[in-house]
Structures are given as structure tokens and as C-alpha cells.
Amino acid sequence: MKKVLLRKLLVTIALGTVILIWVIDWLSAHTETSMSHLSVEHQRELVEYGKEADLIYRKEGELGLSNWLHEFQDKEKTWAAVVKSNIQPIAGSVIPQKYIDEFRIGRSVEWKIHLYFEYNPIMEVPFLDEKSHLLIQLPQRMRPGVYLTFVDILLKVALPFVVLCVVSLVLYRHVMVPLRKLEHATKAFSQGQFDVRVSKSFSNRSDELFNLSVTFDGMATRIGKLIYNQRELLSDLSHELRTPLTRMDMAIDTIENGINDSDTLTRLRYESNNMRALVEDTLTLAWLNNESPVLNTETFDLAELIQVICDDAAFEYSETRLNVELPNNAVIDKSSQQALGQAIENIIRNALKYTPEHSGVVVTLKQNADVYMLSVLDFGNGVPESMLSDIFKPFFRVDKSHGLHVVGQKRGGFGLGLALAQRQITAVGGKIKAFNHLIADSAGVGGLQIDITLPKR
């Protein structure tokens, strides 16, 4: 089975988790970087402090600058100083001019601030002469990353929690919505709605749940058909039993009154035999319908079996010709001699029974590489085309009042013969079909032809 649902879950969960981790890591790094710089307002404020110190130093000298530094430190609650950047090389060292020009004592206001340091960094604002520098330990109020902890919790806890909840909800709905449909269908089926089906509502899927819906529909179809057949079988059986039971009651009344005891006992025995045959055939039919057995345990000669059946039938129906065309042998493997024999006997006797006297029935067995083809043709009145598919239904009989071929009458005419034959042939892996056969050169004379296809193995 294609594990489509498993692949969907793997892609959604595994790939989704990797993407989520990557996105969270990128967002965390990007957010931390953006929070590690001083705000534009604070950068501008520090630069203004540098300009102010430079102006006071040029106008008031070191004394005025000293007073300004004291006031500034008290105001910002931090440390500040002004230094020179003279670099004096020793021991013949040579310092490139570029290094001297770009030398920095503290951090530029535009540089990134390390948010995880416990102390605030020293910021540097150069004077106009670029030889003096205002050094300021960054005031606490200007320190960036105040909301770093909150943002970390939001990105590393809240965001994955929300995303995973949404993914779980989507996966839950993807799995549970069809399961709920199956639940409702099962509940409806258990309440007697045997026509309920669900696979059509799964037509947009192609995963294990769709296969489950198809399996459910197959189960529902089979169980519904079994229940319907059982109800119909019980209804028909009860209807068929009423007539012989009524006759038996009448016969018992006759015996009690001492009238025609011998004839009445014969009638009772006849009706009892009919009822026994009816019940046995009905039980066999119910077993075939319910169990759908596969009968494939025997190997025998099909031609010999058909010949024995035809000999017995010809003796019973001596007034009707029985033309048999069989090969010398026809070995069939993995079949059931009993089931197949009963089915073929029902069909041949049915044909003989409803073929006019002095007419004939033709039984032909042919074979090819894989199958045997058995044909039974009678020369009765045939069956109306609209009823050809019904003759294999239990208790079905064509109305004799219309002068038509009466199908399926066996031991009193219960209409079980062809129904049993069809199911027995199906149980051995064969197929059966019926159609009206007309002979072109005989003025439309023909009858019912039943073809049986049986696998050799």
C-alpha cells in the first residue's frame, strides 16, 4: 500500500520543524542585531555631547571643560572623560598614518553593542581636531536591548508554540474530518441505513483514509446485500412454507376424521419431502450467500461427471431427446465435484423439464487452453428478455399463465434451482449466463441457452 498519509505527515512535521527552527534562528539573530545598536536619537544625543564639550574646551579651556564634565557625570549618572590620542612609538617602531588617523579609544556611536556584557561600554565622540576625544560610559538609559529577554521568549517559546498548535490543528482536521465521516456513516449503518456510502466524499484524497473509505463501502455493500438477501430469503421462505403447511393441516384434519387415510398419508409424505427439500435448498443458498466459499479441493474428470448426470436425466425424461457432445476427457483441477455436479444437474433437468416432448436438449462441452465452456440449450419458449437477469434470483418463477417458459422449478417448483446453480458455479470460480437462442433456419424456433465457463485450474 502506498503510504501517502505517512509521507504527508513526515513532510509536514519533519520538514516543517526544520524550517521553523531555521526561521526562529534567523529571526533571533536578525532581531538581536537590530537591537544591538544605539537608537538614532541616542546616537545624535551623544554626538551633541561631544560637540558641546568641544565648544566649551575651545572657549573656556580645561577649567570650563572640567566643570562641564562634573555636571555631565552627575546628570547622566555615569563616567566621562576627555583624552588626547597622541601615539608615541618607541624602539624605532613605525606606525602607519592610516592607523593613527583611524585609531579609536572607545566605541563609535554607530558600532554594535554587545547585549550580553554586564557593564556598559565606553563610547567615544571625537572633537573637531580629531586629536581630543570625549569618552563616555554609556548611560544606562541609553543601553539597547532592554526588551531582549521578552523578544527571546516571544521568538523561542511563544512563536513555536503557536505555530506547532496551528500545524497540529491542521493535521488533526486532515485526519479527523474523514474519520468523523466514517464515524457518522458507521452510526447510520448500525441504525439500519444500509445504503450509506462515504468514498465519494473522499474523492479529493488518495491516501490511506481514502482506501479505508473504499474498504468501508465494500463492507457496507456486502453486509447490506447479505442483510437484504436474508430478509428477502426469510420472507420468500415463509411465503413458500404456508402452502404445504396448509395442505398438511388439511391432511391432518382428514386423518382425524378418518377419511382417505392412505391418500392423505401419501399427501403428508409428499408435502414433508417438499418442505425438507425447500429448507435444505434454502439453507444451502443462505450458506453460499453469507460465506461466499471458495470450493477448490478436488480434481476430477468434468466430462465423466456430465455424462453420468445426462444418463440419469435421460432415463427420467425418456420422452425428450438429450444430445450430448463431450470430449473424451476433461480434467478439472482445484474444484468441487459435489457443488459442480448439483449445479449442472439443476440446469440440465430444468432444460429437460420445460422442453416440449419429442423435442431435444443439447449439452455441449468445449475447451481451450484455460477454461471449459459448457452450454445447455433447450427448445422451450425461452424467457422474456427483461427477466433474463432475474432467473438466478431465489424463488423467482416466470408466470405460467402467459404460456412462457417456467424457470427454476425443482421438487415442487420453489424457484431455487438456478439460484443455487449460479452460486455453486461462482464458488468453484466459474461464471454463468443465460440468453434466448433462436435458430435462423427453423422459423424462429429456439429456447433458453445457459453457458457456463469453468477454469481448468
Side-chain angles (χ1 to χ4, degrees):
M1 178 187 293
K2 297 180 180 179
K3 298 180 179 179
V4 179
L5 183 59
L6 177 61
R7 291 203 298 270
K8 287 181 181 179
L9 294 178
L10 286 177
V11 170
T12 303
I13 296 175
L15 184 59
T17 302
V18 171
I19 293 175
L20 177 62
I21 293 174
W22 179 82
V23 169
I24 290 174
D25 182 69
W26 182 85
L27 285 175
S28 298
H30 181 75
T31 303
E32 183 177 335
T33 299
S34 63
M35 295 180 68
S36 297
H37 292 85
L38 294 176
S39 67
V40 175
E41 180 183 353
H42 289 158
Q43 290 182 30
R44 188 181 300 115
E45 192 172 352
L46 289 175
V47 171
E48 291 299 326
Y49 280 147
K51 291 180 179 180
E52 185 178 351
D54 185 19
L55 181 62
I56 291 176
Y57 178 61
R58 285 189 284 107
K59 286 186 177 182
E60 301 179 14
E62 291 187 10
L63 181 60
L65 181 59
S66 176
N67 293 331
W68 182 87
L69 285 173
H70 284 297
E71 293 176 0
F72 175 78
Q73 292 177 94
D74 291 339
K75 174 184 175 183
E76 292 291 349
K77 299 294 187 290
T78 188
W79 169 87
V82 176
V83 297
K84 294 290 186 177
S85 60
N86 295 331
I87 299 175
Q88 299 295 330
I90 62 174
S93 301
V94 178
I95 301 176
Q97 185 62 37
K98 181 179 180 182
Y99 177 82
I100 296 175
D101 294 339
E102 297 179 356
F103 174 73
R104 291 291 182 269
I105 299 174
R107 287 179 174 273
S108 170
V109 296
E110 298 176 354
W111 288 6
K112 179 181 176 181
I113 307 297
H114 295 290
L115 302 179
Y116 300 102
F117 286 177
E118 294 182 359
Y119 56 88
N120 291 347
I122 304 299
M123 310 304 296
E124 175 193 356
V125 183
F127 285 3
L128 291 177
D129 60 6
E130 294 186 354
K131 295 180 179 180
S132 301
H133 309 268
L134 174 63
L135 301 180
I136 304 172
Q137 186 172 25
L138 186 68
Q140 186 63 32
R141 68 181 181 86
M142 296 183 183
R143 184 182 177 96
V146 177
Y147 301 105
L148 180 62
T149 302
F150 172 77
V151 172
D152 274 348
I153 294 175
L154 184 65
L155 290 178
K156 297 177 181 179
V157 178
L159 177 60
F161 177 79
V162 172
V163 171
L164 290 176
C165 284
V166 172
V167 171
S168 299
L169 179 62
V170 171
L171 291 177
Y172 176 82
R173 286 179 56 82
H174 186 71
V175 174
M176 288 306 300
V177 168
L179 288 180
R180 286 231 172 88
K181 292 179 181 178
L182 282 171
E183 178 188 5
H184 296 326
T186 304
K187 185 179 294 184
F189 190 84
S190 67
Q191 294 173 351
Q193 299 180 29
F194 302 124
D195 59 342
V196 63
R197 300 293 183 270
V198 293
S199 60
K200 287 185 178 180
S201 61
F202 286 63
S203 57
N204 59 335
R205 305 177 67 108
S206 60
D207 54 16
E208 290 86 337
L209 292 175
F210 172 75
N211 296 335
L212 178 61
S213 70
V214 173
T215 303
F216 174 86
D217 283 358
M219 178 202 69
T221 300
R222 173 167 169 73
I223 294 178
K225 183 177 180 181
L226 287 176
I227 293 174
Y228 173 78
N229 287 341
Q230 290 285 10
R231 289 177 177 176
E232 191 176 51
L233 204 59
L234 287 173
S235 175
D236 291 338
L237 178 60
S238 63
H239 175 75
E240 295 292 340
L241 285 173
R242 287 193 183 97
T243 300
L245 285 173
T246 300
R247 291 172 182 169
M248 291 178 73
D249 287 339
M250 294 173 61
I252 291 172
D253 290 340
T254 302
I255 292 175
E256 288 178 346
N257 294 326
I259 305 173
N260 295 327
D261 291 350
S262 178
D263 293 341
T264 303
L265 286 174
T266 302
R267 168 60 69 178
L268 278 173
R269 186 173 291 108
Y270 174 78
E271 297 296 345
S272 176
N273 290 336
N274 273 350
M275 288 180 62
R276 181 180 294 107
L278 173 61
V279 172
E280 288 176 354
D281 286 351
T282 303
L283 291 176
T284 302
L285 184 63
W287 176 73
L288 290 169
N289 281 338
N290 294 342
E291 302 299 330
S292 297
V294 178
L295 306 177
N296 56 0
T297 59
E298 297 177 299
T299 299
F300 54 92
D301 190 334
L302 180 60
E304 182 180 349
L305 175 64
I306 297 173
Q307 187 63 61
V308 171
I309 293 172
C310 290
D311 289 344
D312 291 343
F315 178 77
E316 183 175 347
Y317 294 90
S318 57
E319 70 283 357
T320 304
R321 294 193 308 274
L322 184 57
N323 300 322
V324 182
E325 300 176 12
L326 302 174
N328 292 331
N329 58 73
V331 178
I332 186 168
D333 189 25
K334 294 186 180 301
S335 187
S336 172
Q337 185 170 351
Q338 181 179 359
L340 200 52
Q342 291 176 352
I344 295 174
E345 183 179 8
N346 272 330
I347 294 169
I348 291 176
R349 288 181 177 272
N350 188 77
L352 288 168
K353 188 171 184 178
Y354 298 107
T355 293
E357 293 185 5
H358 310 298
S359 183
V361 172
V362 179
V363 178
T364 306
L365 179 64
K366 298 180 181 179
Q367 59 179 315
N368 59 24
D370 300 319
V371 297
Y372 292 111
M373 294 167 287
L374 175 62
S375 175
V376 179
L377 169 64
D378 67 47
F379 292 91
N381 294 320
V383 174
E385 292 293 331
S386 61
M387 296 183 180
L388 281 174
S389 60
D390 296 328
I391 63 175
F392 297 108
K393 294 180 179 179
F395 300 102
F396 177 81
R397 290 180 296 243
V398 178
D399 188 358
K400 290 190 294 184
S401 64
H402 292 82
L404 300 174
H405 187 137
V406 184
V407 180
Q409 290 195 342
K410 176 179 179 287
R411 295 177 184 170
F414 297 117
L416 290 175
L418 291 182
L420 278 171
Q422 183 198 44
R423 286 150 182 81
Q424 287 166 328
I425 289 170
T426 301
V428 299
K431 297 179 181 178
I432 183 172
K433 64 178 180 179
F435 55 93
N436 290 312
H437 180 84
L438 297 179
I439 301 176
D441 59 354
S442 301
V445 176
L448 182 68
Q449 179 171 334
I450 294 181
D451 288 345
I452 301 171
T453 303
L454 298 169
K456 290 185 176 181
R457 296 182 184 276

